[in-house]
Each structure stands twice: as structure tokens, then as C-alpha cells.
Amino acid sequence: MDHSDPYLTLYYTDALDANAYAYDVWTPAFYGPIDSTTLNMYLDGVVIWAVPHYGTLMDIMMQEILMAYLDGGGDLFITGQDIGSFMVYNCTMLFYTDYLHATFVQELDR
């Protein structure tokens, strides 16, 4: 998992604990950005990429690392507040459409 919000961490770790799944938590504020070598250690599992809020940047380098992970057979669950609109405006369309197989429809009025 990659995120820095402790409440978001608990949301996922509580569910994983309740179902007896083994997991690791990657905290970028402590470890720095994850690299492809580390991410590829999880090719036999699922990576939960939890983005805590809209303003969290996912730069081109991180998109390339995630694309390489997916190309290597990795499984990715990506989640976060307003993640669809964030990604369509801040990520490459290649990553959004070809790797996540996502289509952005519209933002919700709040």
C-alpha cells in the first residue's frame, strides 16, 4: 500500500487483518517514493494504491513504475477521493485508459 494518511491506512489494514491477509505498508513520507525493484517484490500479490486526497501527485515516473509493474503481471487496486477526475487531468491517457482500463464520465456536483 502506498499512502500517507493514517486513517486511510487503518481502513485497509483493519480489513486485511480481519481476513488474515499478510501485507506491508509503504509510507512515502518515511521511505520516499517506491521504486520498481521494491514494487516488483509484490508480483505474486496485489498492490493497493490508496491516494488519500485529490491533491496527491502521481507523476509520470510513478505512472511508468506502475505500468512496468502491471506489464510484469502485477495486480493493482487503485483508490482514492476523486481519483477518477484527478487521474484524467494529471496522468497520461495511456496509463488511465490502457492500463487502468478506465473511462471518466463526469464529476459529481457536491
Side-chain angles (χ1 to χ4, degrees):
M1 276 185 280
D2 183 11
H3 46 72
S4 56
D5 183 326
Y7 297 107
L8 189 58
T9 302
L10 288 175
Y11 181 80
Y12 291 100
T13 57
D14 285 353
L16 293 167
D17 289 340
N19 290 285
Y21 285 102
Y23 60 88
D24 294 315
V25 175
W26 186 272
T27 307
F30 183 74
Y31 298 110
I34 199 162
D35 58 42
S36 58
T37 302
T38 304
L39 197 59
N40 286 337
M41 293 170 42
Y42 298 94
L43 285 172
D44 62 342
V46 174
V47 168
I48 300 171
W49 195 274
V51 181
H53 50 78
Y54 186 86
T56 302
L57 178 65
M58 179 182 291
D59 62 18
I60 298 296
M61 182 186 302
M62 191 53 57
Q63 292 171 55
E64 290 173 356
I65 289 170
L66 289 171
M67 287 188 287
Y69 169 75
L70 292 168
D71 285 340
D75 291 316
L76 176 68
F77 176 79
I78 191 165
T79 181
Q81 179 180 343
D82 296 324
I83 193 70
S85 61
F86 170 78
M87 296 197 78
V88 78
Y89 296 120
N90 294 286
C91 293
T92 65
M93 290 310 293
L94 173 70
F95 180 65
Y96 193 74
T97 59
D98 293 0
Y99 281 83
L100 299 181
H101 305 286
T103 303
F104 183 72
V105 177
Q106 72 181 39
E107 291 191 44
L108 297 175
D109 292 330
R110 293 178 196 241

